[in-house]
Each structure stands twice: as C-alpha cells, then as structure tokens.
Amino acid sequence: MTAQRWSAIAVLTLLAGCQVTPPAPPPAQAPTLQLIDSQPLVLAPGCEASSSVFMQFVVLADGRTDALQMPPTTPCLRDALTDWVSSFRYAPLPAATSAALEWVMVSARRGS
C-alpha cells in the first residue's frame, strides 16, 4: 500500500506541474527615442497659432522622420512645423517607430 501511495503522489505531482501556466512574456516596449539633432523652429513674421498642434510621425530605422500628420492649421504654421519635424534626427533604431508631439505657441518677453 505504501508503494501505491507514493506512486499516486508522484503522478499527481507530475500532473500538477503540467497545469502550471508559464509566466507571460513581458510586453513589447517601444524603443527609446533619442533626438540627436534638429534645426530651430522658424515662424514667418506674423504667423500666429490659436491652439496647440498635435503631430504624429514615424521615426525610420536610420533616425530620419517620415509620414508627418497634423490637423489643419494655418499654412505658415503647417509649413514651419513640417520643416522643423523633418529636420529631426534620432539615434538609429532597430525598426521604424511611431512618435508624436504636441506643439504650443507661447508668447512672452524674454526674462519674464
């Protein structure tokens, strides 16, 4: 009877091991973007913005930007933001990565 009991315990232990769910793999994390170069944002004289502008774009594996999308805005602001984001250069990535930023115009005197 003792051998039978030990056999049953061994079988149940093996079956219990088969029922354990393996740990879930960690969620895939987007690569960290590291901006290494950009040109200054240049607005034409008199170019105004009445709200923030949310822009989405893709950072290619070689660090250049592509596929810029933004909501309708004034032509001067759209052109300036397009040129600015196009000048961004990021450290190389393993694959193209989606990115976004929100631009807000802040008007203030220097030192205030």
Side-chain angles (χ1 to χ4, degrees):
M1 185 98 137
T2 306
Q4 230 177 3
R5 185 178 288 165
W6 283 112
S7 295
I9 290 173
V11 168
L12 290 174
T13 301
L14 287 173
L15 288 175
C18 293
Q19 298 300 317
V20 175
T21 305
Q29 294 182 0
T32 301
L33 295 176
Q34 180 184 359
L35 184 65
I36 55 175
D37 190 34
S38 75
Q39 297 298 314
L41 175 63
V42 178
L43 293 174
C47 187
E48 296 290 327
S50 59
S51 64
S52 66
V53 178
F54 184 76
M55 298 172 283
Q56 296 176 298
F57 54 96
V58 173
V59 178
L60 303 173
D62 67 1
R64 293 177 298 124
T65 59
D66 192 28
L68 175 63
Q69 297 176 349
M70 74 176 88
T73 187
T74 61
C76 67
L77 185 57
R78 183 190 65 241
D79 292 346
L81 291 173
T82 298
D83 290 346
W84 182 54
V85 172
S86 296
S87 78
F88 292 178
R89 293 297 175 262
Y90 290 89
L93 300 166
T97 302
S98 296
L101 64 87
E102 186 171 15
W103 177 85
V104 180
M105 180 178 237
V106 177
S107 299
R109 290 183 302 131
R110 286 186 178 256
S112 59

